[in-house]
Amino acid sequence: MALKDYRGLRRLLDDIREWPQLYMFKFIVPNQYGKVDKVVSLLPEKGKVSFNHTRSLHYVAVTCQAEMHTPDDIVKITQEATAIEGVLAL
């Protein structure tokens, strides 16, 4: 996604006045070619990560709850994850 596609997310995060905040990342990831591992490697190390596979095992929902310190950190992780082919951010 282009930077402009994150303007809405950025505006929502900018409305939050108190940081750090607990934030939940959720990505839908194709279960192929190490893409799940790539997404997980982008997430905060201290985050609580969980996985949920589709019945067909073609996709994995990757969820991570982590304390984030700035809106920029959240946007950066989301941009990097969705730059991986086939990854969707929810």
Side-chain angles (χ1 to χ4, degrees), residues 41-76:
S41 73
L42 299 172
L43 299 171
E45 287 183 25
K46 293 184 179 183
K48 181 180 177 186
V49 179
S50 62
F51 305 92
N52 190 10
H53 295 79
T54 59
R55 286 185 189 173
S56 65
L57 301 177
H58 291 137
Y59 293 92
V60 179
V62 178
T63 304
C64 176
Q65 273 194 310
E67 185 174 288
M68 300 303 293
H69 296 278
T70 69
D72 291 333
D73 296 337
I74 295 169
V75 171
K76 180 181 180 213

Short mmCIF file of all heavy atoms in Angstrom, two decimals, residues 41-76:
data_model
loop_
_atom_site.label_atom_id
_atom_site.label_comp_id
_atom_site.label_asym_id
_atom_site.label_seq_id
_atom_site.Cartn_x
_atom_site.Cartn_y
_atom_site.Cartn_z
N SER A 41 8.46 -11.63 12.21
CA SER A 41 9.74 -10.98 12.49
C SER A 41 9.62 -9.45 12.55
O SER A 41 10.47 -8.79 13.14
CB SER A 41 10.79 -11.37 11.44
OG SER A 41 10.52 -10.75 10.20
N LEU A 42 8.57 -8.89 11.97
CA LEU A 42 8.36 -7.45 12.00
C LEU A 42 7.67 -6.97 13.28
O LEU A 42 7.74 -5.81 13.63
CB LEU A 42 7.50 -7.02 10.80
CG LEU A 42 8.07 -7.29 9.43
CD1 LEU A 42 7.02 -7.00 8.36
CD2 LEU A 42 9.32 -6.44 9.20
N LEU A 43 7.02 -7.89 13.96
CA LEU A 43 6.23 -7.54 15.15
C LEU A 43 7.13 -7.31 16.36
O LEU A 43 8.24 -7.84 16.42
CB LEU A 43 5.23 -8.66 15.43
CG LEU A 43 4.22 -8.90 14.31
CD1 LEU A 43 3.41 -10.16 14.59
CD2 LEU A 43 3.30 -7.70 14.14
N PRO A 44 6.65 -6.52 17.32
CA PRO A 44 7.45 -6.27 18.52
C PRO A 44 7.80 -7.57 19.26
O PRO A 44 6.96 -8.46 19.40
CB PRO A 44 6.53 -5.40 19.39
CG PRO A 44 5.56 -4.80 18.43
CD PRO A 44 5.39 -5.81 17.34
N GLU A 45 9.04 -7.67 19.71
CA GLU A 45 9.51 -8.89 20.38
C GLU A 45 8.72 -9.21 21.63
O GLU A 45 8.52 -10.38 21.95
CB GLU A 45 10.99 -8.75 20.73
CG GLU A 45 11.90 -8.84 19.55
CD GLU A 45 13.36 -8.78 19.95
OE1 GLU A 45 13.69 -9.11 21.11
OE2 GLU A 45 14.18 -8.38 19.10
N LYS A 46 8.30 -8.19 22.35
CA LYS A 46 7.58 -8.42 23.61
C LYS A 46 6.08 -8.58 23.41
O LYS A 46 5.34 -8.70 24.37
CB LYS A 46 7.86 -7.29 24.59
CG LYS A 46 9.31 -7.26 25.04
CD LYS A 46 9.53 -6.21 26.07
CE LYS A 46 10.99 -6.23 26.51
NZ LYS A 46 11.26 -5.26 27.56
N GLY A 47 5.63 -8.59 22.17
CA GLY A 47 4.21 -8.74 21.88
C GLY A 47 3.73 -10.17 22.07
O GLY A 47 4.50 -11.12 21.95
N LYS A 48 2.46 -10.30 22.36
CA LYS A 48 1.83 -11.62 22.49
C LYS A 48 1.24 -11.98 21.13
O LYS A 48 0.28 -11.36 20.67
CB LYS A 48 0.74 -11.57 23.56
CG LYS A 48 0.06 -12.89 23.78
CD LYS A 48 -1.02 -12.79 24.84
CE LYS A 48 -1.71 -14.13 24.97
NZ LYS A 48 -2.86 -14.02 25.88
N VAL A 49 1.83 -12.99 20.50
CA VAL A 49 1.45 -13.37 19.14
C VAL A 49 0.61 -14.64 19.18
O VAL A 49 0.92 -15.59 19.91
CB VAL A 49 2.70 -13.60 18.25
CG1 VAL A 49 2.30 -14.01 16.84
CG2 VAL A 49 3.57 -12.35 18.22
N SER A 50 -0.46 -14.66 18.38
CA SER A 50 -1.28 -15.87 18.24
C SER A 50 -1.58 -16.10 16.76
O SER A 50 -1.49 -15.17 15.94
CB SER A 50 -2.57 -15.75 19.04
OG SER A 50 -3.35 -14.68 18.58
N PHE A 51 -1.91 -17.33 16.44
CA PHE A 51 -2.14 -17.74 15.06
C PHE A 51 -3.47 -18.47 14.96
O PHE A 51 -3.84 -19.21 15.86
CB PHE A 51 -1.03 -18.69 14.58
CG PHE A 51 0.34 -18.12 14.74
CD1 PHE A 51 1.09 -18.36 15.89
CD2 PHE A 51 0.90 -17.33 13.74
CE1 PHE A 51 2.36 -17.84 16.05
CE2 PHE A 51 2.17 -16.81 13.89
CZ PHE A 51 2.90 -17.06 15.04
N ASN A 52 -4.15 -18.28 13.84
CA ASN A 52 -5.38 -19.01 13.56
C ASN A 52 -5.39 -19.35 12.08
O ASN A 52 -5.39 -18.44 11.24
CB ASN A 52 -6.59 -18.15 13.94
CG ASN A 52 -7.87 -18.93 13.91
OD1 ASN A 52 -7.87 -20.15 13.79
ND2 ASN A 52 -8.98 -18.23 14.01
N HIS A 53 -5.37 -20.62 11.76
CA HIS A 53 -5.32 -21.08 10.37
C HIS A 53 -6.73 -21.24 9.80
O HIS A 53 -7.65 -21.61 10.53
CB HIS A 53 -4.61 -22.44 10.27
CG HIS A 53 -3.18 -22.38 10.65
ND1 HIS A 53 -2.75 -22.35 11.95
CD2 HIS A 53 -2.06 -22.32 9.89
CE1 HIS A 53 -1.44 -22.29 11.99
NE2 HIS A 53 -1.00 -22.27 10.75
N THR A 54 -6.87 -21.01 8.51
CA THR A 54 -8.13 -21.32 7.85
C THR A 54 -8.24 -22.84 7.73
O THR A 54 -7.25 -23.56 7.85
CB THR A 54 -8.20 -20.69 6.44
OG1 THR A 54 -7.12 -21.20 5.64
CG2 THR A 54 -8.14 -19.17 6.52
N ARG A 55 -9.44 -23.31 7.49
CA ARG A 55 -9.64 -24.76 7.35
C ARG A 55 -8.77 -25.37 6.25
O ARG A 55 -8.26 -26.47 6.38
CB ARG A 55 -11.10 -25.08 7.05
CG ARG A 55 -12.00 -24.93 8.24
CD ARG A 55 -13.38 -25.38 7.90
NE ARG A 55 -14.28 -25.03 9.00
CZ ARG A 55 -15.55 -25.17 8.96
NH1 ARG A 55 -16.14 -25.65 7.87
NH2 ARG A 55 -16.28 -24.83 10.00
N SER A 56 -8.62 -24.63 5.18
CA SER A 56 -7.84 -25.13 4.06
C SER A 56 -6.33 -25.01 4.29
O SER A 56 -5.55 -25.52 3.50
CB SER A 56 -8.21 -24.35 2.79
OG SER A 56 -7.81 -22.99 2.93
N LEU A 57 -5.95 -24.30 5.35
CA LEU A 57 -4.55 -24.03 5.69
C LEU A 57 -3.85 -23.13 4.67
O LEU A 57 -2.63 -23.00 4.69
CB LEU A 57 -3.75 -25.32 5.90
CG LEU A 57 -4.25 -26.25 7.00
CD1 LEU A 57 -3.40 -27.51 7.04
CD2 LEU A 57 -4.23 -25.54 8.35
N HIS A 58 -4.61 -22.49 3.80
CA HIS A 58 -4.01 -21.59 2.81
C HIS A 58 -3.62 -20.24 3.40
O HIS A 58 -2.76 -19.54 2.86
CB HIS A 58 -4.94 -21.37 1.62
CG HIS A 58 -5.10 -22.59 0.78
ND1 HIS A 58 -6.32 -23.00 0.29
CD2 HIS A 58 -4.20 -23.50 0.35
CE1 HIS A 58 -6.15 -24.11 -0.40
NE2 HIS A 58 -4.87 -24.43 -0.39
N TYR A 59 -4.30 -19.84 4.48
CA TYR A 59 -4.04 -18.55 5.10
C TYR A 59 -3.91 -18.71 6.61
O TYR A 59 -4.48 -19.63 7.20
CB TYR A 59 -5.17 -17.55 4.81
CG TYR A 59 -5.25 -17.18 3.36
CD1 TYR A 59 -6.05 -17.89 2.48
CD2 TYR A 59 -4.49 -16.13 2.86
CE1 TYR A 59 -6.12 -17.57 1.14
CE2 TYR A 59 -4.54 -15.79 1.52
CZ TYR A 59 -5.35 -16.51 0.67
OH TYR A 59 -5.40 -16.19 -0.66
N VAL A 60 -3.19 -17.77 7.20
CA VAL A 60 -3.02 -17.72 8.64
C VAL A 60 -3.34 -16.31 9.11
O VAL A 60 -2.83 -15.34 8.55
CB VAL A 60 -1.57 -18.07 9.05
CG1 VAL A 60 -1.40 -18.01 10.56
CG2 VAL A 60 -1.16 -19.43 8.51
N ALA A 61 -4.19 -16.22 10.13
CA ALA A 61 -4.43 -14.93 10.77
C ALA A 61 -3.37 -14.79 11.87
O ALA A 61 -3.27 -15.64 12.75
CB ALA A 61 -5.82 -14.87 11.36
N VAL A 62 -2.57 -13.75 11.77
CA VAL A 62 -1.53 -13.48 12.76
C VAL A 62 -1.97 -12.27 13.57
O VAL A 62 -2.21 -11.20 13.00
CB VAL A 62 -0.17 -13.20 12.08
CG1 VAL A 62 0.89 -12.89 13.13
CG2 VAL A 62 0.26 -14.38 11.22
N THR A 63 -2.11 -12.46 14.87
CA THR A 63 -2.53 -11.39 15.77
C THR A 63 -1.43 -11.15 16.78
O THR A 63 -0.84 -12.10 17.29
CB THR A 63 -3.83 -11.78 16.49
OG1 THR A 63 -4.83 -12.10 15.52
CG2 THR A 63 -4.34 -10.65 17.38
N CYS A 64 -1.17 -9.89 17.07
CA CYS A 64 -0.15 -9.53 18.05
C CYS A 64 -0.64 -8.36 18.88
O CYS A 64 -1.00 -7.33 18.33
CB CYS A 64 1.16 -9.17 17.36
SG CYS A 64 2.44 -8.60 18.50
N GLN A 65 -0.65 -8.54 20.19
CA GLN A 65 -0.93 -7.44 21.10
C GLN A 65 0.38 -7.00 21.70
O GLN A 65 1.12 -7.82 22.25
CB GLN A 65 -1.88 -7.86 22.21
CG GLN A 65 -3.32 -7.72 21.85
CD GLN A 65 -4.19 -7.83 23.07
OE1 GLN A 65 -4.05 -8.75 23.85
NE2 GLN A 65 -5.09 -6.88 23.24
N ALA A 66 0.65 -5.71 21.59
CA ALA A 66 1.92 -5.19 22.10
C ALA A 66 1.76 -3.74 22.53
O ALA A 66 0.92 -3.01 22.01
CB ALA A 66 3.00 -5.28 21.02
N GLU A 67 2.59 -3.35 23.47
CA GLU A 67 2.63 -1.96 23.88
C GLU A 67 3.43 -1.18 22.84
O GLU A 67 4.58 -1.50 22.56
CB GLU A 67 3.28 -1.82 25.24
CG GLU A 67 3.24 -0.41 25.77
CD GLU A 67 3.77 -0.31 27.18
OE1 GLU A 67 3.09 -0.77 28.11
OE2 GLU A 67 4.88 0.23 27.32
N MET A 68 2.79 -0.18 22.27
CA MET A 68 3.43 0.63 21.25
C MET A 68 3.62 2.04 21.79
O MET A 68 2.79 2.55 22.54
CB MET A 68 2.58 0.66 19.98
CG MET A 68 2.35 -0.73 19.38
SD MET A 68 3.85 -1.63 18.98
CE MET A 68 4.51 -0.63 17.66
N HIS A 69 4.71 2.68 21.40
CA HIS A 69 5.08 3.96 21.97
C HIS A 69 4.67 5.16 21.13
O HIS A 69 4.50 6.26 21.67
CB HIS A 69 6.58 4.00 22.26
CG HIS A 69 6.96 2.98 23.29
ND1 HIS A 69 6.82 3.21 24.63
CD2 HIS A 69 7.42 1.72 23.18
CE1 HIS A 69 7.19 2.14 25.31
NE2 HIS A 69 7.56 1.22 24.44
N THR A 70 4.53 4.98 19.81
CA THR A 70 4.14 6.09 18.95
C THR A 70 3.30 5.59 17.78
O THR A 70 3.42 4.42 17.37
CB THR A 70 5.36 6.84 18.37
OG1 THR A 70 6.01 5.98 17.42
CG2 THR A 70 6.33 7.29 19.44
N PRO A 71 2.48 6.46 17.20
CA PRO A 71 1.75 6.10 15.98
C PRO A 71 2.69 5.71 14.85
O PRO A 71 2.39 4.82 14.05
CB PRO A 71 0.96 7.36 15.64
CG PRO A 71 0.79 8.06 16.94
CD PRO A 71 2.06 7.78 17.70
N ASP A 72 3.85 6.36 14.78
CA ASP A 72 4.82 6.05 13.71
C ASP A 72 5.25 4.60 13.76
O ASP A 72 5.43 3.96 12.71
CB ASP A 72 6.05 6.96 13.81
CG ASP A 72 5.74 8.41 13.49
OD1 ASP A 72 4.79 8.66 12.72
OD2 ASP A 72 6.45 9.29 14.01
N ASP A 73 5.44 4.05 14.96
CA ASP A 73 5.84 2.65 15.09
C ASP A 73 4.78 1.72 14.52
O ASP A 73 5.10 0.74 13.84
CB ASP A 73 6.09 2.30 16.57
CG ASP A 73 7.24 3.07 17.19
OD1 ASP A 73 8.12 3.54 16.44
OD2 ASP A 73 7.24 3.20 18.43
N ILE A 74 3.53 2.03 14.78
CA ILE A 74 2.43 1.19 14.30
C ILE A 74 2.33 1.26 12.78
O ILE A 74 2.22 0.23 12.11
CB ILE A 74 1.11 1.62 14.96
CG1 ILE A 74 1.18 1.34 16.47
CG2 ILE A 74 -0.08 0.92 14.31
CD1 ILE A 74 0.06 1.96 17.28
N VAL A 75 2.37 2.47 12.24
CA VAL A 75 2.27 2.64 10.79
C VAL A 75 3.44 1.95 10.09
O VAL A 75 3.25 1.27 9.07
CB VAL A 75 2.18 4.14 10.42
CG1 VAL A 75 2.30 4.33 8.91
CG2 VAL A 75 0.88 4.73 10.93
N LYS A 76 4.63 2.07 10.64
CA LYS A 76 5.81 1.45 10.02
C LYS A 76 5.66 -0.07 9.95
O LYS A 76 5.91 -0.68 8.90
CB LYS A 76 7.07 1.80 10.82
CG LYS A 76 8.32 1.20 10.24
CD LYS A 76 9.54 1.55 11.06
CE LYS A 76 10.75 0.91 10.41
NZ LYS A 76 11.76 0.51 11.32
#
